[in-house]
Amino acid sequence: MGEEAEREMKEGLQFYGGRRVLVTGHTGFKGTWLSWLLSALGAEVYGIALPPQPGSLHEKAAPPLADSCLTDIRNAEAVRRVVGQFQPELVFHLAAHAYLDGSYDYPADIFEINLMGTVRLLDALRSRCVPTVVVTSDKCYAWQPDGRPCCEDDPLGAAESYSTSKACQDLAAQSYQYAFPEMAVATARASNTIGGGDFNRSRLVPYLLECFSGGVPARLRNPGFVRPWQYVLDVLWGYLTLGKALTEGCITGSHAFNFGPAPDGFQTVEQVARLLSAYFREASVEWQAAGKSTENALLRLDSSKAWRELGWQPLYTLEETLMQTAGFHQAMRKRPAEELCREQAAQYLARAKERGQL
């Protein structure tokens, strides 16, 4: 690394030092990891979220926070009060219903949380002009029948309530950016994230980890479905890079950014299961007949805009990601989860420095 690149890296890492950062949804899987990264960078981290789920990563490894408030993001009065109390300089909005689960059981609640929760937050921040990164999803895009990667200019579309609510959330954020440009609002669209401490077994990798570590056959469908798989810290580093650029006024044009994996991260369900099984002696998979599914068989994300305009790139390959995830899962039997989070966050920042990422 040259002197100029090293100087820029040092400045990039120092950007968050002492900065007051509010993370909504800080008790969730990604919110917990984001709080650990911010803490490692020296930020004053504040949180607003629902109480952590029993047995969650946050419950096992709560990151150091300057302060937090446990309340519903839909509570406009509480959100406004918390924003006034914490006085954030930058906000990362992760609080949401974050899964396909429930899309056909309680769609109204999903829309209320994802759409109106975002509106409540942005309205509380409107008079304060606080830069805000709104985390949506790659599921917000309309289906691409030709299977080509989705890019930021592609149309958003309607599907089940989760995907549609994320599209609505993205549009609401764009609306505030358009109507109140002094706010500096950006949206971050990421794909399937993998990492230690995700215990939601409705997602593929946590389910596989539970089955493989227990010596129980994993029963799977749709082996040929392709998804973007990537390390949770790669995704979060993208959010942090976007937050820095947004705060410094470096973004022109569209404020929407995709954060997807490198080409090796676009893999089938079967390949992910095969790669992960290598870390467990008694791993086995039983393939079931595919039932009726509304999911797309092929989902890909084009992240070239983030690479080009933000200088962000994923730092971990899919195999390294699965190794980190399996290692975290296995090490939790002997070591505190808090220690593992601190260790993996430090490892990630060391690699970011080596690779010249800001």
Side-chain angles (χ1 to χ4, degrees):
M1 181 185 297
E3 291 184 5
E4 179 69 16
E6 188 171 356
R7 180 186 62 79
E8 290 178 348
M9 166 53 64
K10 186 176 180 181
E11 291 176 357
L13 292 174
Q14 288 179 345
F15 170 82
Y16 284 99
R19 192 172 296 270
R20 300 171 67 90
V21 181
L22 173 62
V23 178
T24 77
H26 70 282
T27 58
F29 168 59
K30 288 205 292 187
T32 298
W33 272 114
L34 180 59
S35 299
W36 273 108
L37 272 180
L38 283 164
S39 176
L41 290 169
E44 290 184 26
V45 187
Y46 298 82
I48 177 172
L50 293 174
Q53 292 291 320
S56 66
L57 177 63
H58 190 88
E59 187 176 75
K60 296 175 183 294
L65 302 174
D67 204 349
S68 65
C69 176
L70 299 180
T71 189
D72 196 313
I73 196 69
R74 293 172 289 180
N75 186 332
E77 182 180 346
V79 170
R80 197 172 300 276
R81 183 176 64 251
V82 167
V83 168
Q85 176 185 345
F86 293 163
Q87 297 286 315
E89 299 171 76
L90 177 60
V91 175
F92 291 96
H93 177 43
L94 281 69
H97 179 92
Y99 324 116
L100 287 168
D101 311 31
S103 287
Y104 298 98
D105 298 322
Y106 39 89
D109 287 343
I110 293 175
F111 276 102
E112 182 70 23
I113 294 166
N114 290 351
L115 174 57
M116 293 311 300
T118 299
V119 170
R120 300 278 186 258
L121 174 68
L122 292 176
D123 218 49
L125 295 167
R126 181 158 56 93
S127 63
R128 300 176 180 274
C129 301
V130 182
T132 305
V133 174
V134 176
V135 174
T136 61
S137 170
D138 61 352
K139 307 298 188 298
C140 69
Y141 289 110
W143 179 56
Q144 300 286 355
D146 57 2
R148 66 177 177 82
C150 296
C151 65
E152 290 84 353
D153 294 332
D154 285 333
L156 306 185
E160 31 58 45
S161 57
Y162 167 73
S163 300
T164 307
S165 72
K166 300 306 282 186
C168 292
Q169 179 188 31
D170 206 294
L171 287 169
Q174 292 180 47
S175 172
Y176 271 81
Q177 173 61 40
Y178 175 82
F180 312 104
E182 66 277 5
M183 284 187 67
V185 180
T187 58
R189 304 165 183 170
S191 52
N192 296 6
T193 55
I194 304 171
D198 185 0
F199 305 116
N200 182 355
R201 67 189 307 275
S202 69
R203 292 200 285 257
L204 176 65
V205 171
Y207 171 69
L208 289 175
L209 288 171
E210 180 179 297
C211 293
F212 290 170
S213 61
V216 177
R219 294 178 171 82
L220 302 178
R221 296 185 298 273
N222 305 315
F225 273 28
V226 174
R227 291 290 181 268
W229 312 94
Q230 64 190 130
Y231 191 28
V232 63
L233 297 187
D234 270 335
V235 176
L236 298 177
W237 191 246
Y239 300 168
L240 292 172
T241 305
L242 177 56
K244 178 178 181 291
L246 189 67
T247 302
E248 295 178 339
C250 299
I251 300 173
T252 58
S254 168
H255 283 46
F257 287 86
N258 289 339
F259 295 100
D264 78 293
F266 296 99
Q267 295 290 349
T268 63
V269 170
E270 183 176 19
Q271 177 70 350
V272 170
R274 187 187 69 78
L275 289 172
L276 190 61
S277 68
Y279 299 100
F280 299 88
R281 289 183 178 179
E282 300 180 7
S284 63
V285 175
E286 294 179 359
W287 295 102
Q288 311 292 306
K292 183 179 179 181
S293 175
T294 59
E295 293 188 65
N296 298 329
L298 179 61
L299 180 58
R300 299 173 61 180
L301 204 59
D302 181 344
S303 303
S304 59
K305 180 183 175 184
W307 295 17
R308 183 177 64 251
E309 298 187 16
L310 302 177
W312 170 87
Q313 293 186 30
L315 301 179
Y316 278 67
T317 66
L318 177 59
E319 290 197 38
E320 289 175 323
T321 295
L322 293 172
M323 180 177 66
Q324 289 287 95
T325 304
F328 189 103
H329 183 83
Q330 293 165 335
M332 279 186 60
R333 300 174 181 175
K334 299 179 180 180
R335 299 174 60 192
E338 178 179 340
E339 183 179 301
L340 296 172
C341 285
R342 184 178 290 108
E343 181 179 282
Q344 289 198 354
Q347 289 173 354
Y348 189 86
L349 292 179
R351 179 171 292 199
K353 188 172 183 179
E354 290 173 1
R355 302 286 178 85
Q357 290 261 358
L358 300 180

